[in-house]
Amino acid sequence: MTTDQNPAENEAIEPIKVEETTPVAAETSEMLAKEVEAPAPEKEVSYPLFDFAVASKDNFLKYFGKIKDIVSEHAHPGTYKKVDEITKEVKEAWSQLKQAEKQAAIEAFKAANDGTDEGFDFKDEAVHAVDQLINHIRTEKQAFFQGLEKAREKALEGKTRLINELRDLVDKDDNGDPAHVNASFKAFKKIQEEWKGLGSVQGPMNQTLWQSYHALVDRFYSNRSIFFELLELDRKKNLQAKEIIAAKLEKLAAAVAKATNLPVLLKEAEELFNEYKHIGPAHREENEAMWQRVKKSLDVLFEQKRQIQDANKAVFEENLKIKKELAGLMHGYASFQSTSISEWNQASKAVLALQEQWGKLKGGLPREGGKEVSHQFWADLKTFFKHKSDFFGKIDAERKANLAAKQQLIEQVEGIVAVGTETPEITQTVIDLQKKWKEIGHVPEKQKDSIYAKFKAACDAYFNLKRSASKGAKDAEMDANLTAKQAILAEMEGMLKDASLLARLGEVKAAWDAIGFVPKKNVKDMQESFRKTWNALIDLARTQPKEQLAAWGFELKSLKTESASPESSAPSADSRKKIQALENDIAVLTNNLEFFAKSKNSEKLRGEVEKKIAAAEKELEKLKKS
């Protein structure tokens, strides 16, 4: 057996152990000096990245669900170590969110139960589901490592028992009795098979066990020189089995240059080598030659790995350079502060873009400097989102306070409507409440539309109450206006038959314009009748002698024809909405005037309302002409 160094000893992972069994004790000890136990390499796993910008219960549930699937499918010490690293900050964030949810629930419970939390029970299905996942992952981890420890204890116990059985077999071996030799050999092979099936012990006891085991194996074979033929046959079978494995390792070594997944190839090589170690000895010369073949293949495999690691060093350094730049940019956002929501949103987009660039950067980092820059990046990211959370928490608190204030205004208006009393003083109170509503700031976005609709409905209910009280008087006024306008139309139709009456055309137009609103159902017909009659009178006036018109004091240039009918020049939908809104406003304000007239010391308020009515009528007239 050669004393060449095991080619795996200087690798990043623990080396593949060397095991050979021969009848020579010195050679066995030499091989054991090279042997190191190593766990199976971890499978490649894609770990999820948690988005602290959207730290919702649903995202926590999805994230820990993925972690649960990973530990279930890839149970390995390395997997649990990685999971502990990546979930530490996520668990802290979850604990903060859960505590905030619970505190909010306690406050709400106290508010509903006279300030006491007696009998409070925090129940939230999403919180329970996330906690179940976290507990499941913790339980799986405990069970996994307990299982490893039990397996190692079982292996230690089993190998200790087998060494004692083997020692007893060797000490009592009687080479003079063929029947005993045959039975002891079967017992020996049984011990060998059971030893091979036991797992690794790990730790300092491992080498001691192997040394004791192989020393006893050497003694067993040395004591059986009288059965050399049987030993010879066994060694030939061992040589054939080693030949098969050596050929497979050589095939892997030849394919290493074209391998697209080196970790998988190395794992296969390790499994083959592990099988090789558990095969019994061959003749010393053949055993040495076979080991040289295996070692040569392993040298090729691990040399390729060294080359990849050397090539990765440059990639790692470049990654470190880029990630330092990203960490520097992220550090600037750790101290970001603003009172603008839009500025916080813009900063969040920039921070998430940096996080995305960080995540897309493939490959590892050098041990020196890599851990520090990663810690700085994620600490600054967490700090930024904490500051953002504090800001929006303050905004949320203000908006909740605004919501409560607006809810109080709604309750006041609803209380007024429930009483059913309408007086000028109460009307002024409702108007004042409307002003207060406008002065209160924003409410939470989800309640914005519903709270406004509720307030508007309450105000509309009150003013509808007002309108219903004055509806009869208003209808009578509009009917009188309709009768007056019908009389003017009759007078205008009389002018078409007697041109001498055109002298009063200007007065007639002024009288028409002075008359107020008519019932809505008559508006269109009256406007169209007036337009046609008026335009006909203007056309008739144009046919009269200028001297006659002058004698009548008629100024044709001051009287223009009316615009075309709505069918030919209909106002836009937007104009119609504005007209309708103005008409509604004028009707409400006009109704209000009636109530102001009945109250004392209301001249100032009445004057303001009259100004609003005049401005609205002026705007309405412009819209109708446009």
PDB file of all heavy atoms in Angstrom, residues 4-16 34 36 298-299 302-303 305-307 309-310 313 367:
ATOM      1  N   ASP A   4       0.977   7.663  -0.390  1.00  0.00           N
ATOM      2  CA  ASP A   4       0.610   8.932  -1.040  1.00  0.00           C
ATOM      3  C   ASP A   4      -0.561   9.566  -0.319  1.00  0.00           C
ATOM      4  O   ASP A   4      -1.452   8.877   0.171  1.00  0.00           O
ATOM      5  CB  ASP A   4       0.218   8.697  -2.519  1.00  0.00           C
ATOM      6  CG  ASP A   4       1.455   8.331  -3.340  1.00  0.00           C
ATOM      7  OD1 ASP A   4       2.568   8.560  -2.827  1.00  0.00           O
ATOM      8  OD2 ASP A   4       1.284   7.813  -4.457  1.00  0.00           O
ATOM      9  N   GLN A   5      -0.567  10.915  -0.320  1.00  0.00           N
ATOM     10  CA  GLN A   5      -1.659  11.627   0.370  1.00  0.00           C
ATOM     11  C   GLN A   5      -2.967  11.441  -0.362  1.00  0.00           C
ATOM     12  O   GLN A   5      -3.016  11.436  -1.576  1.00  0.00           O
ATOM     13  CB  GLN A   5      -1.317  13.125   0.452  1.00  0.00           C
ATOM     14  CG  GLN A   5      -2.297  13.910   1.303  1.00  0.00           C
ATOM     15  CD  GLN A   5      -1.925  15.369   1.339  1.00  0.00           C
ATOM     16  OE1 GLN A   5      -1.292  15.848   0.435  1.00  0.00           O
ATOM     17  NE2 GLN A   5      -2.328  16.063   2.395  1.00  0.00           N
ATOM     18  N   ASN A   6      -4.034  11.253   0.418  1.00  0.00           N
ATOM     19  CA  ASN A   6      -5.388  11.160  -0.154  1.00  0.00           C
ATOM     20  C   ASN A   6      -5.692  12.428  -0.943  1.00  0.00           C
ATOM     21  O   ASN A   6      -5.543  13.533  -0.435  1.00  0.00           O
ATOM     22  CB  ASN A   6      -6.394  11.011   0.986  1.00  0.00           C
ATOM     23  CG  ASN A   6      -7.776  10.670   0.460  1.00  0.00           C
ATOM     24  OD1 ASN A   6      -8.198  11.204  -0.548  1.00  0.00           O
ATOM     25  ND2 ASN A   6      -8.446   9.801   1.182  1.00  0.00           N
ATOM     26  N   PRO A   7      -6.113  12.336  -2.223  1.00  0.00           N
ATOM     27  CA  PRO A   7      -6.346  13.529  -3.050  1.00  0.00           C
ATOM     28  C   PRO A   7      -7.481  14.377  -2.555  1.00  0.00           C
ATOM     29  O   PRO A   7      -7.666  15.487  -3.024  1.00  0.00           O
ATOM     30  CB  PRO A   7      -6.667  12.944  -4.424  1.00  0.00           C
ATOM     31  CG  PRO A   7      -7.200  11.580  -4.132  1.00  0.00           C
ATOM     32  CD  PRO A   7      -6.420  11.104  -2.956  1.00  0.00           C
ATOM     33  N   ALA A   8      -8.327  13.876  -1.634  1.00  0.00           N
ATOM     34  CA  ALA A   8      -9.484  14.667  -1.188  1.00  0.00           C
ATOM     35  C   ALA A   8      -9.192  15.487   0.056  1.00  0.00           C
ATOM     36  O   ALA A   8     -10.024  16.246   0.497  1.00  0.00           O
ATOM     37  CB  ALA A   8     -10.664  13.740  -0.922  1.00  0.00           C
ATOM     38  N   GLU A   9      -7.964  15.344   0.654  1.00  0.00           N
ATOM     39  CA  GLU A   9      -7.743  15.904   1.982  1.00  0.00           C
ATOM     40  C   GLU A   9      -7.762  17.429   1.994  1.00  0.00           C
ATOM     41  O   GLU A   9      -8.079  18.030   3.009  1.00  0.00           O
ATOM     42  CB  GLU A   9      -6.416  15.410   2.549  1.00  0.00           C
ATOM     43  CG  GLU A   9      -6.490  13.980   3.034  1.00  0.00           C
ATOM     44  CD  GLU A   9      -5.169  13.523   3.600  1.00  0.00           C
ATOM     45  OE1 GLU A   9      -4.193  14.293   3.521  1.00  0.00           O
ATOM     46  OE2 GLU A   9      -5.131  12.400   4.111  1.00  0.00           O
ATOM     47  N   ASN A  10      -7.390  18.088   0.888  1.00  0.00           N
ATOM     48  CA  ASN A  10      -7.318  19.538   0.869  1.00  0.00           C
ATOM     49  C   ASN A  10      -8.520  20.188   0.213  1.00  0.00           C
ATOM     50  O   ASN A  10      -8.490  21.360  -0.150  1.00  0.00           O
ATOM     51  CB  ASN A  10      -6.048  19.998   0.143  1.00  0.00           C
ATOM     52  CG  ASN A  10      -4.807  19.575   0.895  1.00  0.00           C
ATOM     53  OD1 ASN A  10      -4.814  19.592   2.114  1.00  0.00           O
ATOM     54  ND2 ASN A  10      -3.763  19.187   0.169  1.00  0.00           N
ATOM     55  N   GLU A  11      -9.613  19.427   0.026  1.00  0.00           N
ATOM     56  CA  GLU A  11     -10.794  19.980  -0.626  1.00  0.00           C
ATOM     57  C   GLU A  11     -11.602  20.827   0.344  1.00  0.00           C
ATOM     58  O   GLU A  11     -11.454  20.725   1.564  1.00  0.00           O
ATOM     59  CB  GLU A  11     -11.685  18.850  -1.160  1.00  0.00           C
ATOM     60  CG  GLU A  11     -11.010  18.036  -2.246  1.00  0.00           C
ATOM     61  CD  GLU A  11     -10.556  18.903  -3.396  1.00  0.00           C
ATOM     62  OE1 GLU A  11     -11.356  19.728  -3.863  1.00  0.00           O
ATOM     63  OE2 GLU A  11      -9.396  18.784  -3.801  1.00  0.00           O
ATOM     64  N   ALA A  12     -12.527  21.661  -0.233  1.00  0.00           N
ATOM     65  CA  ALA A  12     -13.392  22.523   0.578  1.00  0.00           C
ATOM     66  C   ALA A  12     -14.348  21.693   1.421  1.00  0.00           C
ATOM     67  O   ALA A  12     -14.709  22.065   2.511  1.00  0.00           O
ATOM     68  CB  ALA A  12     -14.163  23.491  -0.300  1.00  0.00           C
ATOM     69  N   ILE A  13     -14.777  20.536   0.875  1.00  0.00           N
ATOM     70  CA  ILE A  13     -15.614  19.634   1.666  1.00  0.00           C
ATOM     71  C   ILE A  13     -14.713  18.595   2.314  1.00  0.00           C
ATOM     72  O   ILE A  13     -13.546  18.429   1.924  1.00  0.00           O
ATOM     73  CB  ILE A  13     -16.686  18.943   0.793  1.00  0.00           C
ATOM     74  CG1 ILE A  13     -16.036  18.007  -0.252  1.00  0.00           C
ATOM     75  CG2 ILE A  13     -17.566  19.937   0.103  1.00  0.00           C
ATOM     76  CD1 ILE A  13     -17.046  17.143  -0.967  1.00  0.00           C
ATOM     77  N   GLU A  14     -15.229  17.862   3.284  1.00  0.00           N
ATOM     78  CA  GLU A  14     -14.417  16.831   3.946  1.00  0.00           C
ATOM     79  C   GLU A  14     -14.081  15.740   2.948  1.00  0.00           C
ATOM     80  O   GLU A  14     -14.907  15.368   2.109  1.00  0.00           O
ATOM     81  CB  GLU A  14     -15.175  16.253   5.142  1.00  0.00           C
ATOM     82  CG  GLU A  14     -15.414  17.275   6.244  1.00  0.00           C
ATOM     83  CD  GLU A  14     -16.053  16.647   7.455  1.00  0.00           C
ATOM     84  OE1 GLU A  14     -15.833  15.442   7.674  1.00  0.00           O
ATOM     85  OE2 GLU A  14     -16.766  17.353   8.170  1.00  0.00           O
ATOM     86  N   PRO A  15     -12.862  15.199   3.020  1.00  0.00           N
ATOM     87  CA  PRO A  15     -12.423  14.239   1.994  1.00  0.00           C
ATOM     88  C   PRO A  15     -13.131  12.897   2.099  1.00  0.00           C
ATOM     89  O   PRO A  15     -13.653  12.530   3.134  1.00  0.00           O
ATOM     90  CB  PRO A  15     -10.933  14.093   2.289  1.00  0.00           C
ATOM     91  CG  PRO A  15     -10.822  14.392   3.747  1.00  0.00           C
ATOM     92  CD  PRO A  15     -11.840  15.446   4.026  1.00  0.00           C
ATOM     93  N   ILE A  16     -13.143  12.199   0.975  1.00  0.00           N
ATOM     94  CA  ILE A  16     -13.653  10.823   0.965  1.00  0.00           C
ATOM     95  C   ILE A  16     -12.669   9.934   1.700  1.00  0.00           C
ATOM     96  O   ILE A  16     -11.458  10.003   1.472  1.00  0.00           O
ATOM     97  CB  ILE A  16     -13.827  10.340  -0.495  1.00  0.00           C
ATOM     98  CG1 ILE A  16     -14.819  11.255  -1.212  1.00  0.00           C
ATOM     99  CG2 ILE A  16     -14.281   8.911  -0.549  1.00  0.00           C
ATOM    100  CD1 ILE A  16     -14.947  10.955  -2.687  1.00  0.00           C
ATOM    101  N   LYS A  34      -5.233   7.663   7.031  1.00  0.00           N
ATOM    102  CA  LYS A  34      -5.745   8.516   5.970  1.00  0.00           C
ATOM    103  C   LYS A  34      -7.248   8.726   6.078  1.00  0.00           C
ATOM    104  O   LYS A  34      -7.819   9.560   5.384  1.00  0.00           O
ATOM    105  CB  LYS A  34      -5.447   7.897   4.603  1.00  0.00           C
ATOM    106  CG  LYS A  34      -3.966   7.732   4.284  1.00  0.00           C
ATOM    107  CD  LYS A  34      -3.826   6.940   3.001  1.00  0.00           C
ATOM    108  CE  LYS A  34      -2.360   6.794   2.601  1.00  0.00           C
ATOM    109  NZ  LYS A  34      -1.779   8.062   2.174  1.00  0.00           N
ATOM    110  N   VAL A  36     -11.004   9.688   7.037  1.00  0.00           N
ATOM    111  CA  VAL A  36     -11.789  10.724   7.706  1.00  0.00           C
ATOM    112  C   VAL A  36     -13.242  10.533   7.328  1.00  0.00           C
ATOM    113  O   VAL A  36     -13.554  10.390   6.161  1.00  0.00           O
ATOM    114  CB  VAL A  36     -11.339  12.147   7.296  1.00  0.00           C
ATOM    115  CG1 VAL A  36     -12.193  13.187   8.012  1.00  0.00           C
ATOM    116  CG2 VAL A  36      -9.877  12.358   7.614  1.00  0.00           C
ATOM    117  N   LEU A 298      -9.384   9.466  -8.590  1.00  0.00           N
ATOM    118  CA  LEU A 298      -9.779  10.478  -7.613  1.00  0.00           C
ATOM    119  C   LEU A 298      -8.962  11.751  -7.760  1.00  0.00           C
ATOM    120  O   LEU A 298      -9.483  12.865  -7.587  1.00  0.00           O
ATOM    121  CB  LEU A 298      -9.631   9.926  -6.203  1.00  0.00           C
ATOM    122  CG  LEU A 298     -10.597   8.794  -5.821  1.00  0.00           C
ATOM    123  CD1 LEU A 298     -10.277   8.287  -4.418  1.00  0.00           C
ATOM    124  CD2 LEU A 298     -12.031   9.282  -5.886  1.00  0.00           C
ATOM    125  N   ASP A 299      -7.681  11.617  -8.090  1.00  0.00           N
ATOM    126  CA  ASP A 299      -6.835  12.799  -8.317  1.00  0.00           C
ATOM    127  C   ASP A 299      -7.397  13.653  -9.448  1.00  0.00           C
ATOM    128  O   ASP A 299      -7.440  14.885  -9.364  1.00  0.00           O
ATOM    129  CB  ASP A 299      -5.403  12.378  -8.647  1.00  0.00           C
ATOM    130  CG  ASP A 299      -4.660  11.882  -7.418  1.00  0.00           C
ATOM    131  OD1 ASP A 299      -5.132  12.179  -6.299  1.00  0.00           O
ATOM    132  OD2 ASP A 299      -3.629  11.217  -7.575  1.00  0.00           O
ATOM    133  N   PHE A 302     -10.772  15.398  -8.233  1.00  0.00           N
ATOM    134  CA  PHE A 302     -10.615  16.507  -7.312  1.00  0.00           C
ATOM    135  C   PHE A 302      -9.702  17.607  -7.844  1.00  0.00           C
ATOM    136  O   PHE A 302      -9.788  18.754  -7.397  1.00  0.00           O
ATOM    137  CB  PHE A 302     -10.120  15.990  -5.960  1.00  0.00           C
ATOM    138  CG  PHE A 302     -11.215  15.348  -5.172  1.00  0.00           C
ATOM    139  CD1 PHE A 302     -11.409  13.979  -5.208  1.00  0.00           C
ATOM    140  CD2 PHE A 302     -12.095  16.124  -4.440  1.00  0.00           C
ATOM    141  CE1 PHE A 302     -12.439  13.387  -4.497  1.00  0.00           C
ATOM    142  CE2 PHE A 302     -13.129  15.533  -3.725  1.00  0.00           C
ATOM    143  CZ  PHE A 302     -13.311  14.163  -3.763  1.00  0.00           C
ATOM    144  N   GLU A 303      -8.842  17.286  -8.804  1.00  0.00           N
ATOM    145  CA  GLU A 303      -8.077  18.339  -9.463  1.00  0.00           C
ATOM    146  C   GLU A 303      -8.999  19.263 -10.251  1.00  0.00           C
ATOM    147  O   GLU A 303      -8.830  20.486 -10.276  1.00  0.00           O
ATOM    148  CB  GLU A 303      -7.019  17.725 -10.390  1.00  0.00           C
ATOM    149  CG  GLU A 303      -6.189  18.753 -11.156  1.00  0.00           C
ATOM    150  CD  GLU A 303      -5.430  19.705 -10.232  1.00  0.00           C
ATOM    151  OE1 GLU A 303      -5.081  19.297  -9.102  1.00  0.00           O
ATOM    152  OE2 GLU A 303      -5.196  20.855 -10.650  1.00  0.00           O
ATOM    153  N   LYS A 305     -12.046  19.843  -9.491  1.00  0.00           N
ATOM    154  CA  LYS A 305     -12.740  20.672  -8.499  1.00  0.00           C
ATOM    155  C   LYS A 305     -11.852  21.829  -8.037  1.00  0.00           C
ATOM    156  O   LYS A 305     -12.316  22.954  -7.863  1.00  0.00           O
ATOM    157  CB  LYS A 305     -13.152  19.813  -7.308  1.00  0.00           C
ATOM    158  CG  LYS A 305     -13.919  20.595  -6.261  1.00  0.00           C
ATOM    159  CD  LYS A 305     -14.379  19.707  -5.122  1.00  0.00           C
ATOM    160  CE  LYS A 305     -15.153  20.534  -4.100  1.00  0.00           C
ATOM    161  NZ  LYS A 305     -15.625  19.713  -2.971  1.00  0.00           N
ATOM    162  N   ARG A 306     -10.556  21.549  -7.850  1.00  0.00           N
ATOM    163  CA  ARG A 306      -9.634  22.617  -7.444  1.00  0.00           C
ATOM    164  C   ARG A 306      -9.564  23.709  -8.507  1.00  0.00           C
ATOM    165  O   ARG A 306      -9.519  24.902  -8.206  1.00  0.00           O
ATOM    166  CB  ARG A 306      -8.241  22.043  -7.205  1.00  0.00           C
ATOM    167  CG  ARG A 306      -8.107  21.192  -5.962  1.00  0.00           C
ATOM    168  CD  ARG A 306      -6.644  20.911  -5.659  1.00  0.00           C
ATOM    169  NE  ARG A 306      -6.525  19.931  -4.581  1.00  0.00           N
ATOM    170  CZ  ARG A 306      -6.387  18.632  -4.756  1.00  0.00           C
ATOM    171  NH1 ARG A 306      -6.360  18.130  -5.979  1.00  0.00           N
ATOM    172  NH2 ARG A 306      -6.277  17.808  -3.719  1.00  0.00           N
ATOM    173  N   GLN A 307      -9.552  23.291  -9.766  1.00  0.00           N
ATOM    174  CA  GLN A 307      -9.485  24.274 -10.850  1.00  0.00           C
ATOM    175  C   GLN A 307     -10.740  25.160 -10.859  1.00  0.00           C
ATOM    176  O   GLN A 307     -10.662  26.377 -11.076  1.00  0.00           O
ATOM    177  CB  GLN A 307      -9.330  23.563 -12.198  1.00  0.00           C
ATOM    178  CG  GLN A 307      -7.988  22.876 -12.385  1.00  0.00           C
ATOM    179  CD  GLN A 307      -7.909  22.115 -13.703  1.00  0.00           C
ATOM    180  OE1 GLN A 307      -8.814  22.220 -14.535  1.00  0.00           O
ATOM    181  NE2 GLN A 307      -6.848  21.352 -13.879  1.00  0.00           N
ATOM    182  N   GLN A 309     -12.585  25.798  -8.276  1.00  0.00           N
ATOM    183  CA  GLN A 309     -12.510  26.687  -7.122  1.00  0.00           C
ATOM    184  C   GLN A 309     -11.568  27.854  -7.371  1.00  0.00           C
ATOM    185  O   GLN A 309     -11.848  28.988  -6.984  1.00  0.00           O
ATOM    186  CB  GLN A 309     -12.075  25.906  -5.891  1.00  0.00           C
ATOM    187  CG  GLN A 309     -13.148  24.976  -5.350  1.00  0.00           C
ATOM    188  CD  GLN A 309     -12.677  24.193  -4.132  1.00  0.00           C
ATOM    189  OE1 GLN A 309     -11.484  23.948  -3.983  1.00  0.00           O
ATOM    190  NE2 GLN A 309     -13.608  23.799  -3.295  1.00  0.00           N
ATOM    191  N   ASP A 310     -10.438  27.574  -8.036  1.00  0.00           N
ATOM    192  CA  ASP A 310      -9.497  28.656  -8.365  1.00  0.00           C
ATOM    193  C   ASP A 310     -10.139  29.659  -9.315  1.00  0.00           C
ATOM    194  O   ASP A 310      -9.960  30.881  -9.172  1.00  0.00           O
ATOM    195  CB  ASP A 310      -8.222  28.076  -8.996  1.00  0.00           C
ATOM    196  CG  ASP A 310      -7.400  27.287  -7.988  1.00  0.00           C
ATOM    197  OD1 ASP A 310      -7.614  27.493  -6.767  1.00  0.00           O
ATOM    198  OD2 ASP A 310      -6.561  26.467  -8.407  1.00  0.00           O
ATOM    199  N   LYS A 313     -12.512  31.987  -7.626  1.00  0.00           N
ATOM    200  CA  LYS A 313     -11.959  33.043  -6.783  1.00  0.00           C
ATOM    201  C   LYS A 313     -12.099  34.404  -7.452  1.00  0.00           C
ATOM    202  O   LYS A 313     -12.463  35.397  -6.812  1.00  0.00           O
ATOM    203  CB  LYS A 313     -10.483  32.758  -6.471  1.00  0.00           C
ATOM    204  CG  LYS A 313     -10.289  31.615  -5.489  1.00  0.00           C
ATOM    205  CD  LYS A 313      -8.807  31.400  -5.197  1.00  0.00           C
ATOM    206  CE  LYS A 313      -8.615  30.226  -4.217  1.00  0.00           C
ATOM    207  NZ  LYS A 313      -7.175  29.978  -3.948  1.00  0.00           N
ATOM    208  N   ARG A 367     -14.610  34.340   1.672  1.00  0.00           N
ATOM    209  CA  ARG A 367     -14.875  34.286   3.109  1.00  0.00           C
ATOM    210  C   ARG A 367     -14.492  35.588   3.782  1.00  0.00           C
ATOM    211  O   ARG A 367     -15.190  36.075   4.668  1.00  0.00           O
ATOM    212  CB  ARG A 367     -14.101  33.128   3.735  1.00  0.00           C
ATOM    213  CG  ARG A 367     -14.619  31.764   3.338  1.00  0.00           C
ATOM    214  CD  ARG A 367     -13.885  30.668   4.098  1.00  0.00           C
ATOM    215  NE  ARG A 367     -14.394  29.346   3.753  1.00  0.00           N
ATOM    216  CZ  ARG A 367     -13.946  28.217   4.256  1.00  0.00           C
ATOM    217  NH1 ARG A 367     -12.953  28.248   5.146  1.00  0.00           N
ATOM    218  NH2 ARG A 367     -14.459  27.050   3.885  1.00  0.00           N
TER     219      ARG A 367
END
